[in-house]
Amino acid sequence: MRRLITALVTVSLAGCASQQKPATSEPQDTSAPQAPKPATPADAEAFRATPPPPGKPPELVLPTFQKATLDNGLTVLVSTRRELPLVFAGLTFAAGSAQDPVGKNGLADLTYRMLLEGAGTRDTVALDNAFADLGVSPFQEVSPDGAQVGVRVLTRNVDAALALLADVTLRPTFAPKAFERRKKQQLADLVRRLGQPTALGQIVFLSSVFGNTHPYGHSSVGMPDSVQALTLEDVQGFYKKHAGPAAAALVLTGDITLDEAVAFAKQHFGAWKAPATPPPAPPAPPAPARQFVHVVPKPGLDQTVMMLGRPAIAAGNPDEYSLELATTVFGGFFGSRLNMNLREAKGYSYGAGASTDPRLGVGPLTAYASVRADATGPALNEAMGEVTGLKSRPITEKELAAAREGLIRAFPGAFESVEGLGSSASQLYRKRRPLDEFNRTVEGLRAATAADVQRAAEKYLDPATLQIILVGDPLVIQEQVSGLNLGKLMAVEPDTQPGSASAQP
């Protein structure tokens, strides 16, 4: 038994000895193997640093306008577009609100609106129903340089529509009851308009920039006191003086040719006879240095309407394209200097802008914004700083390229519809521009150099000649603007005392 136990112990010890590793002269690494380190991942947002290249822009195709003149002097303007069976038909008049007699502001607007208040054998309702039977609703618009009444109709209804427009133009009834109703509507519209701070600012802007007696110095719709004083005889006299074939144009755009348009014109307007002639362009107003900051007091207003401007240029001025580019860089699109400052950098406004309005005569240059009332002073200071900066920080090639591209690429939007074509043709007639004006404009925008644009910016955006109009809380304006030394504050209240102004203490 003892031998058996001894044998088992011997075997067990031998087994243990067989599992031992021989000794080595070098230490062994007993740690777990390391996994390879992953490569550093690329920045998932790196692609944003390189915007995708734009696609090839579509070819710019501008409309072609054609012109004919009837024996009685009526101009016929046509732009043919055959894609759809639609035609815009309208009468454009060469006299607008700039021909309002002194003290009778709003007369042109009321006169042209009376054209749809009865014509020929139809009263207001019958005339409206006659247009409705053609599936159309006529529209009117009045500007300082002219007016227009027109409709968009199916091609098959052009003849019938022109027959109605001929009644409207050649045989308006100017009925006394219709006049009183239309006048009351105009006065009611004015009351609503004068409740809008922006509208008040525009009224004061025109009188401040052009002067109360200048043809462009008042709103086309007039003021309550001037409209209230208008009589039916005033309307009849204005139309007799300013409406006639030599002072009007028949505009037909869309699915129609020049030969077809001339035939329609002779049929419906060939017998029109009246001595009216196109009025002369209004005289160029001065652009004096600013002396006042005009304030329209509106206590408690949460925002201040801010407008800056001056007389600029007439249509056809050699500086027109350069100034358009300069104004666009300053405030004509979202990325402009004025908007990026007041909206994006400072948060004073939802948006700010600037524009020029070349007219038959010298039209206005305007910069505008509605700013937080508590930021009135700082916002005005920043706006004037941006104007001054046009000289100290000249317009860059990058800014100029963006403005040029934006203006040129926006052109097709004006010609999307037959109404747009009609409006464009009407503008050519009112401003007495050549038929290739839009081609000339594109060429002018492309050819304007950085030096041309900078010169126009410094000439017309001179901070000393910009008039300032503020509509807002007078106490806030007094507190925040007085210290800017931009001119003496002058209160103007066009909604209560049209045309009056008094120095603010």
Side-chain angles (χ1 to χ4, degrees):
M1 185 68 179
R2 181 180 297 173
R3 290 179 179 177
L4 177 59
I5 294 174
T6 301
L8 292 174
V9 171
T10 300
V11 172
S12 175
L13 290 174
C16 290
S18 66
Q19 294 178 5
Q20 293 178 355
K21 295 182 179 178
T24 61
S25 60
E26 295 182 3
Q28 298 295 315
D29 184 5
T30 59
S31 62
Q34 297 293 322
K37 294 182 179 180
T40 303
D43 184 0
E45 299 295 319
F47 74 95
R48 298 186 187 279
T50 306
K56 184 180 179 180
E59 181 182 357
L60 178 63
V61 179
L62 298 176
T64 299
F65 295 92
Q66 297 175 285
K67 176 182 176 181
T69 304
L70 301 191
D71 292 340
N72 62 356
L74 179 68
T75 298
V76 181
L77 292 175
V78 174
S79 183
T80 302
R81 177 179 291 174
R82 293 293 199 180
E83 293 93 337
L84 296 171
L86 293 173
V87 173
F88 169 81
L91 260 296
T92 294
F93 301 90
S97 62
Q99 279 65 57
D100 284 342
V102 175
K104 296 185 182 294
N105 297 345
L107 177 57
D109 190 81
L110 182 58
T111 299
Y112 290 120
R113 292 185 185 280
M114 280 297 298
L115 296 182
L116 295 179
E117 296 291 341
T121 60
R122 300 178 179 89
D123 62 12
T124 304
V125 175
L127 182 60
D128 188 64
N129 287 339
F131 279 112
D133 288 342
L134 301 178
V136 301
S137 180
F139 81 96
Q140 296 164 310
E141 57 99 6
V142 180
S143 73
D145 290 333
Q148 186 176 53
V149 56
V151 294
R152 180 186 67 175
V153 296
L154 292 170
T155 304
R156 65 173 182 264
N157 291 332
V158 171
D159 186 35
L162 287 174
L164 292 176
L165 288 175
D167 269 350
V168 165
T169 307
L170 278 64
R171 294 172 285 276
T173 56
F174 294 132
K177 289 185 178 180
F179 169 76
E180 293 299 329
R181 182 179 63 253
R182 180 68 254 177
K183 179 177 169 180
K184 288 180 180 178
Q185 290 175 348
Q186 190 130 330
L187 288 169
D189 290 341
L190 277 171
V191 170
R192 288 191 291 270
R193 175 179 171 83
L194 292 175
Q196 302 170 2
T198 301
L200 291 174
Q202 291 170 341
I203 293 168
V204 177
F205 175 85
L206 292 173
S207 62
S208 300
V209 167
F210 292 101
N212 287 323
T213 60
H214 191 273
Y216 289 158
H218 66 277
S219 169
S220 294
V221 294
M223 294 296 289
D225 60 339
S226 62
V227 173
Q228 182 63 56
L230 297 178
T231 65
L232 181 58
E233 289 72 23
D234 291 329
V235 167
Q236 293 169 327
F238 183 94
Y239 195 72
K240 182 178 180 180
K241 178 179 180 181
H242 293 292
L250 175 64
V251 176
L252 292 164
T253 58
D255 187 21
I256 193 168
T257 66
L258 179 62
D259 289 342
E260 292 169 336
V262 169
F264 280 130
K266 290 179 178 178
Q267 175 186 346
H268 295 288
F269 299 93
W272 190 12
K273 298 185 185 301
T277 57
R290 180 182 61 257
Q291 295 182 338
F292 302 101
V293 174
H294 300 272
V295 179
V296 181
K298 286 294 174 185
L301 207 62
D302 292 332
Q303 290 186 322
T304 299
V305 174
M306 181 174 67
M307 302 183 74
L308 291 72
R310 56 161 288 170
I313 58 175
N317 187 295
D319 290 336
E320 184 174 357
Y321 313 126
S322 299
L323 180 58
E324 180 72 12
L325 287 164
T327 308
T328 300
V329 170
F330 172 66
F333 68 117
F334 186 86
S336 66
R337 293 186 178 188
L338 186 63
N339 189 66
M340 294 303 286
N341 185 332
L342 297 187
R343 174 191 165 102
E344 296 298 293
K346 301 297 190 301
Y348 294 154
S349 172
Y350 285 117
S355 63
T356 57
D357 181 18
R359 299 177 178 177
L360 177 63
V362 173
L365 183 156
T366 313
Y368 48 87
S370 291
V371 302
R372 297 193 336 250
D374 64 338
T376 298
L380 179 56
N381 192 50
E382 290 294 331
M384 295 302 292
E386 289 296 343
V387 177
T388 304
L390 288 169
K391 186 173 183 179
S392 60
R393 294 182 291 112
I395 294 171
T396 66
E397 288 288 351
K398 183 178 180 180
E399 290 176 314
L400 180 56
R404 195 192 323 268
E405 181 181 24
L407 289 172
I408 292 175
R409 289 198 179 190
F411 257 81
F415 314 121
E416 288 180 329
S417 64
V418 293
E419 297 97 318
L421 281 173
S423 177
S424 299
S426 178
Q427 290 298 321
L428 294 179
Y429 177 76
R430 295 184 206 180
K431 297 180 182 181
R432 302 171 199 175
R433 303 305 300 150
L435 297 183
D436 64 346
E437 175 70 1
F438 299 111
N439 300 80
R440 293 156 60 96
T441 299
V442 171
E443 292 172 3
L445 292 173
R446 285 175 173 160
T449 65
D452 295 333
V453 175
Q454 185 63 34
R455 178 184 53 77
E458 294 182 16
K459 178 179 180 181
Y460 296 100
L461 282 159
D462 178 359
T465 61
L466 293 180
Q467 304 303 317
I468 299 174
I469 295 87
L470 301 174
V471 183
D473 191 305
L475 296 180
V476 172
I477 293 173
Q478 172 77 29
E479 177 182 355
Q480 297 191 18
V481 177
S482 296
L484 299 180
N485 298 318
L486 295 173
K488 186 176 182 180
L489 301 186
M490 175 171 287
V492 186
E493 301 187 17
D495 51 338
T496 57
Q497 297 176 1
S500 69
S502 58
Q504 181 172 332

